[in-house]
Amino acid sequence: MANFADFQLGIYLDGLTGAKPELPLTYSDLEARAGEVMDPELLDYVAGGAGDEHTQRANVTAFHRWGIVPRMLAGAAERDLSIELFGRRYPTPLFMAPIGVIGVMHESQHGDLEVARAAAASGVPAVISTLVQDPMETVAAELGDTPGFYQLYTPNDRELAESFVRRAEAAGYAGIVVTLDTWSLGWRPRDLRHATFPQLRGLCLANYFSDPVFRSRLEKTPEEDLGAAAIAWAMTFGNPGLSWDDIEWLRGLTALPVLLKGICHPDDVRRARDGGIDGIYCSNHGGRQAASAPAIDFLPAVVEAAEGMPVLFDSGVRSGVDVVKALALGATAVGIGRPYGWGISLAGAAGAHHVLQCLLAEADLTMGLNGYRSIADLTPEVLVRTV
């Protein structure tokens, strides 16, 4: 059985002919290289966080408080990193988290298609944002045999929300991820400094502009008056009144698995479970929305309250070592955000695929060298607090 760590061996073998990797191998180098090619305003939008960005930084450094306990003579020469999620077997525990401006992070202005192509090439599923440059159906067509999940920002127009979910179901998405923490924008000084927001300029709104319900609300089509259509989007995007009373309605929209994104408290996990929700997505939106504790600190209690229900996790994952730690703390699958985003900006689908290969190789090596053969071996006892 091939190990994901064989990617490293391939680099060394290529080096015998003088070839060196064209793309960076670490997060810091990826971010720096992306900064050289991206528009400064867009770079700040992606790299920035809420307020003083302490939560964003803490998401990353919180992983450093955990160490992995090595076990020797464990026979871990071959590893199995596959997981099961909603009755389907996936070759890796990774998924690509939604990035609402990924469409404009690639020079083609079709970055969402590049993400789908990376998913098809790698077998790593992608959660496709409501905010895309290409309609969800066009993106789904590029996923190949790799499932995609549709991330819903629930609008304040129920008919529009229902239309989005039914379109995602018809397009073949494997589940609906309802994001709960973005009914209003967080305080983002970097974006405020530029006085800019991509969607207000009509970017990444293809799902809205292609939706018959949304178009029926407009006096003029987006093709006739882009500015007015963007303002109409802004007026319908958030749903501050969404509450637990709406869970039955959301759950009833589709037969697909429904996950709630942004759940960080065990009481909320239990309410979701009691409401028939199929999975929990533990996340603080990468530190972009509200000040909070690091997301990884919430994970153990969320997993315990889930009582076997799948728990997806993102926020602050920057390395394969981070992936292993999140899995040991109980995550069913681990989401990658900015790292693959930088890969898209640098080389499209090939760039994202490269980032995923790097993360998987490091995670695989971390497991093998520490003596853990499968994800089932990664329990909380694998970790020790170092700080």
Side-chain angles (χ1 to χ4, degrees):
M1 181 179 71
N3 290 316
F4 289 107
D6 292 344
F7 174 69
Q8 172 181 261
L9 177 60
I11 293 175
Y12 286 130
L13 291 177
D14 288 344
L16 295 176
T17 64
K20 296 181 180 180
E22 295 182 0
L23 294 170
L25 301 166
T26 66
Y27 179 82
S28 59
D29 288 345
L30 278 166
E31 184 177 35
R33 184 84 69 83
E36 297 172 359
V37 302
M38 289 179 64
D39 174 82
E41 291 185 5
L42 180 60
L43 178 69
D44 270 349
Y45 181 88
V46 178
D52 63 3
E53 300 187 350
H54 174 78
T55 297
Q56 179 174 285
R57 293 189 298 271
N59 278 342
V60 176
T61 58
F63 281 94
H64 302 164
R65 297 199 296 267
W66 295 98
I68 300 171
V69 180
R71 301 300 300 272
M72 296 297 107
L73 300 174
E78 294 182 349
R79 278 82 62 190
D80 178 8
L81 271 67
S82 66
I83 65 166
E84 185 171 324
L85 182 63
F86 302 125
R88 187 190 295 265
R89 200 76 187 171
Y90 293 86
T92 89
L94 297 186
F95 66 93
M96 286 180 276
I99 299 178
V101 292
I102 198 74
V104 293
M105 287 177 67
H106 187 251
E107 61 184 0
S108 70
Q109 300 293 287
H110 295 285
D112 306 287
L113 301 183
E114 296 296 317
V115 172
R117 291 163 186 157
S122 65
V124 174
V127 180
I128 304 300
S129 177
T130 295
L131 303 173
V132 288
Q133 280 287 90
D134 292 276
M136 66 177 85
E137 295 86 354
T138 306
V139 178
E142 298 290 336
L143 288 166
D145 295 329
T146 302
F149 291 77
Y150 176 68
Q151 177 259 341
L152 175 69
Y153 285 121
T154 308
N156 58 26
D157 182 331
R158 278 201 171 196
E159 189 180 352
L160 178 58
E162 292 173 10
S163 181
F164 281 162
V165 170
R166 302 227 160 89
R167 286 174 60 190
E169 191 172 40
Y173 286 92
I176 306 296
V177 176
V178 181
T179 293
L180 303 176
D181 58 12
T182 313
W183 49 266
S184 176
L185 286 179
W187 180 255
R188 302 177 185 176
R190 291 205 211 190
D191 297 338
L192 292 166
R193 179 178 65 203
H194 297 300
T196 184
F197 191 73
Q199 284 75 26
L200 286 178
R201 299 181 177 182
L203 298 172
C204 304
L205 297 180
N207 279 334
Y208 293 83
F209 293 171
S210 63
D211 194 274
V213 174
F214 182 80
R215 293 176 73 93
S216 74
R217 308 300 197 243
L218 304 176
E219 293 184 5
K220 294 183 178 180
T221 68
E223 296 78 19
E224 294 170 327
D225 192 337
L226 179 62
I231 294 299
W233 163 80
M235 298 300 292
T236 194
F237 172 74
N239 191 345
L242 197 69
S243 73
W244 288 107
D245 293 335
D246 297 303
I247 292 301
E248 182 179 0
W249 164 69
L250 282 167
R251 172 62 277 182
L253 291 179
T254 178
L256 293 173
V258 174
L259 301 91
L260 298 185
K261 182 177 185 286
I263 297 289
C264 295
H265 194 286
D267 287 348
D268 290 344
V269 176
R270 287 184 277 268
R271 294 193 73 168
R273 191 184 66 230
D274 292 344
I277 296 301
D278 303 284
I280 298 299
Y281 191 148
C282 179
S283 167
N284 64 14
H285 216 93
R288 291 176 55 75
Q289 276 298 96
S292 76
I296 195 69
D297 289 351
F298 300 128
L299 182 58
V302 165
V303 170
E304 182 179 4
E307 296 184 357
M309 186 166 51
V311 175
L312 279 62
F313 171 83
D314 76 17
S315 297
V317 178
R318 297 291 182 264
S319 69
V321 178
D322 293 345
V323 171
V324 172
K325 293 175 182 179
L327 292 169
L329 289 173
T332 307
V334 181
I336 310 302
R338 290 179 180 93
Y340 88 82
W342 304 137
I344 290 289
S345 71
L346 293 172
H353 191 194
H354 167 82
V355 171
L356 295 170
Q357 286 179 299
C358 290
L359 291 166
L360 287 167
E362 186 180 20
D364 188 25
L365 280 168
T366 299
M367 289 176 60
L369 292 173
N370 281 298
Y372 302 104
R373 292 178 291 179
S374 72
I375 291 175
D377 295 333
L378 299 178
T379 64
E381 289 73 27
V382 164
L383 302 178
V384 60
R385 295 284 287 195
T386 57
V387 178

